[in-house]
Amino acid sequence: MTKICGIIVCLLIVGLDVAAAILGIQAEVAQNQVKHMKLWLFECREPSQDAFRLGLGAAAILVMAHVLINLVGGCLCICSQDEFQRSSSTRQISMVCLVLTWIVFAIGFGSIVIGTMSNSKSRSSCGFTHHHFLSIGGILCFLHALFCVAYYVSATAAKDEASK
């Protein structure tokens, strides 16, 4: 029963991250369809409401996936470098994957938010080009899914190891 629940959790996390990635990439496509004028490093373009909505959805789904994996993964507290070195390899892998999920989440979420805010209605202006933030955020959603599944599997194994 617990293996089936673990598979369902992993599929749910991957599904949420893939949905966020697809929305982020679709937002980039929608952003590229609006009229813009480019002069060297400067660009003038109208914001895209579709890109704004898709980016907002991608950011929300990425947050849901991240919150969910942190809730179901549980807390494996390691407070010091010495404690980290004394812990089992499974627990060390779990902590490394947890840190990587946070790093990828922060960069991916930040990219999606920057790309989304550049498509806000109030942002119809000229300035430096901000290309590919939405697609970079979308690609990082796929990477987030990978690290989340690795974290969940290793955290579950570390909990099982500790209970024996």
Side-chain angles (χ1 to χ4, degrees), residues 23-43:
L23 286 177
I25 293 168
Q26 288 292 331
E28 180 80 29
V29 169
Q31 176 180 291
N32 291 337
Q33 290 177 348
V34 296
K35 289 192 286 183
H36 66 281
M37 185 180 83
K38 189 173 180 180
L39 180 65
W40 294 328
L41 293 175
F42 296 101
E43 179 180 46

Side-chain angles (χ1 to χ4, degrees), residues 105-126:
F105 169 75
I107 297 169
F109 182 73
S111 294
I112 290 173
V113 167
I114 290 169
T116 300
M117 293 312 295
S118 72
N119 285 295
S120 175
K121 276 186 180 179
S122 63
R123 301 286 286 202
S124 179
S125 64
C126 298

Side-chain angles (χ1 to χ4, degrees), residues 41-128:
L41 293 175
F42 296 101
E43 179 180 46
C44 297
R45 66 174 180 82
E46 293 293 318
S48 169
Q49 274 304 106
D50 289 339
F52 181 77
R53 285 190 208 109
L54 290 167
L56 201 59
I61 292 173
L62 180 61
V63 167
M64 286 187 336
H66 193 71
V67 167
L68 184 63
I69 195 62
N70 281 287
L71 289 175
V72 297
C75 179
L76 297 173
C77 296
I78 294 180
C79 299
S80 67
Q81 179 82 20
D82 189 43
E83 188 178 348
F84 179 76
Q85 290 175 346
R86 284 187 310 208
S87 62
S88 69
S89 61
T90 308
R91 196 165 180 181
Q92 289 176 352
I93 291 170
S94 175
M95 288 307 297
V96 168
C97 288
L98 178 62
V99 169
L100 288 173
T101 60
W102 275 97
I103 291 170
V104 170
F105 169 75
I107 297 169
F109 182 73
S111 294
I112 290 173
V113 167
I114 290 169
T116 300
M117 293 312 295
S118 72
N119 285 295
S120 175
K121 276 186 180 179
S122 63
R123 301 286 286 202
S124 179
S125 64
C126 298
F128 289 107

